[in-house]
Amino acid sequence: MSQVFDTLPLDYREGQIPVLLELPHGGHLTPSEVKPYLHPKFTPGDRREDSDEFSDELYLDLPAAPHVLRFPIWRAHADPNRPCEDIGADGAVKTLTSQRVKIYQSDRGLPAQVRRQVIERYIEPHQRRLVELVASSAIEKVLFCHTMPGIGTGGSNDKGELRPLIMFGNGGDQKGNPVNDCFAERALLLTLSEIVETSVGDLDVDFNFCDVIRYNHPYAGSHSLNRFDPEALRGKQPLTIEINRDLLLHNPDNIAPTRAIVNRLVLALAQWRRE
C-alpha cells in the first residue's frame, strides 16, 4: 500500500511522569515519495541496519509511563536527529546509510524538490513537536533513546572496535563531564550507571563487548543535543542513551531484563534532583 501523508502522523504518547523519551530512529514507514528513486541494490536489510533496531521493544510502553515522542519513518529516508539544512550524506535526508550503503540511484540522493517534501511533511512536524514538549512545564527530564551496533561501523570513528553494553552521552568527555551546564550533569550519569552495573547480572552477556558502561564514546550525543539552543534545555538534564544491539541479537531473552533496566533508569531520572 502507498504511504504518503499531507503531514507526518505524529506518534506522541502522553505520560504520567515528567520524563520525555524521544525515539528518532525506530520507525518503519517508507514514504511513497522516495520509492521511485531507491537504488535497486538497496535492501530491506540495509534499511533495517541503518535504523535503531529494537528501539520499540526497549523504550515503548514502559511501566514507568514516561512521555514518548517516536518518529515513525525509517531513518534511511528521514532523520529528525539532524538539522533540516544538513544535506550531507548523513544529513536529514540521507544519500548513504551509516554502513555507507547507497540508498538512491543518484549519487546526489533525492531530487531537491522531493527532499524538501520529505523535510516538510515528516521531519519538521516532529522537530516542532519535540521543541514544544521540551519547553513544556510537564517535562522535567529529557532522554534521547537509541540503539547501536556492537562493533564500530565503517562510517564511525571507532570502526571495528567493540562497544559497551550501554553508553550515556551528554556532549562531553569520556569521564562524563558535560560540554556545558545545560546538559546532564556527571553526577546524574554516575547515578544511572550504578543502576546498570547493579542490574547487569540479570542479563546474558556471554558475547564480546568492551565495557558495561561508557560515557560519550563512541557517541557524545551531539546530534541530539545540538538541535536545540542549549538554554532551551537548561534544567531538563538532557542526555542520550545507546544500548548495544548485540546484547539482544545474542539472546532475545535479554529484551525483557533490558527493558526492566531502562524502566529503572527512567524512574531514577524522574526522581533525580541536583544535590
Side-chain angles (χ1 to χ4, degrees):
M1 180 179 292
S2 175
Q3 295 167 344
V4 61
F5 315 98
D6 291 332
T7 58
L8 177 75
L10 283 170
D11 187 356
Y12 167 60
R13 307 176 189 203
E14 186 174 4
Q16 298 175 17
I17 63 173
V19 178
L20 171 66
L21 310 187
E22 188 210 14
L23 284 57
H25 293 157
H28 302 114
L29 296 179
T30 301
S32 61
E33 298 99 321
V34 311
K35 290 181 179 179
Y37 305 97
L38 290 172
H39 195 282
K41 293 185 177 181
F42 182 69
T43 69
D46 294 328
R47 189 176 57 191
R48 186 182 66 252
E49 288 182 7
D50 190 57
S51 73
D52 280 2
E53 196 172 5
F54 302 108
S55 179
D56 286 359
E57 289 89 340
L58 294 178
Y59 300 116
L60 288 185
D61 303 318
L62 294 171
H67 299 257
V68 176
L69 182 64
R70 175 186 176 274
F71 190 63
I73 307 297
W74 284 106
R75 180 193 183 194
H77 305 306
D79 190 348
N81 204 40
R82 301 291 188 271
C84 291
E85 61 272 15
D86 184 348
I87 60 171
D90 189 37
V93 182
K94 303 179 187 306
T95 60
L96 300 174
T97 71
S98 57
Q99 303 280 351
R100 313 305 290 173
V101 173
K102 189 174 179 180
I103 301 170
Y104 301 107
Q105 298 164 33
S106 170
D107 290 340
R108 297 188 298 273
L110 292 171
Q113 181 180 0
V114 178
R115 184 170 62 243
R116 172 68 353 209
Q117 287 177 340
V118 170
I119 290 171
E120 291 178 351
R121 289 175 173 170
Y122 310 124
I123 297 176
E124 288 180 343
H126 177 94
Q127 290 182 341
R128 285 196 296 268
R129 186 66 174 125
L130 178 60
V131 169
E132 291 171 357
L133 287 167
V134 168
S136 168
S137 60
I139 303 300
E140 297 178 3
K141 307 289 192 313
V142 180
L143 182 63
F144 303 109
C145 300
H146 300 266
T147 68
M148 62 181 174
I151 298 176
T153 63
S156 61
N157 59 12
D158 66 333
K159 179 180 177 181
E161 295 179 14
L162 290 173
R163 289 174 167 176
L165 294 181
I166 293 180
M167 191 219 73
F168 296 118
N170 61 359
D173 63 25
Q174 293 186 42
K175 293 182 178 180
N177 298 302
V179 70
N180 66 54
D181 62 1
C182 293
F183 300 158
E185 299 176 35
R186 182 174 184 270
L188 174 56
L189 269 58
L190 294 174
T191 296
L192 299 179
S193 297
E194 185 176 358
I195 292 171
V196 174
E197 289 165 352
T198 57
S199 304
V200 73
D202 298 335
L203 304 171
D204 172 7
V205 293
D206 188 20
F207 67 98
N208 292 327
F209 60 95
C210 62
D211 298 296
V212 174
I213 289 283
R214 278 189 178 178
Y215 304 139
N216 296 309
H217 182 73
Y219 307 114
S222 299
H223 287 303
S224 293
L225 297 165
N226 290 343
R227 289 174 295 171
F228 301 84
D229 178 338
E231 288 298 325
L233 295 167
R234 183 175 293 281
K236 306 281 182 173
Q237 297 293 329
L239 73 155
T240 61
I241 181 172
E242 297 270 3
I243 296 178
N244 190 324
R245 292 201 286 271
D246 281 357
L247 176 66
L248 311 174
L249 292 168
H250 162 68
N251 185 351
D253 288 343
N254 278 329
I255 291 176
T258 305
R259 271 179 61 86
I261 292 171
V262 172
N263 195 65
R264 293 180 201 124
L265 295 174
V266 171
L267 288 171
L269 267 178
Q271 296 164 4
W272 194 84
R273 296 293 181 268
R274 177 182 294 177
E275 294 181 358

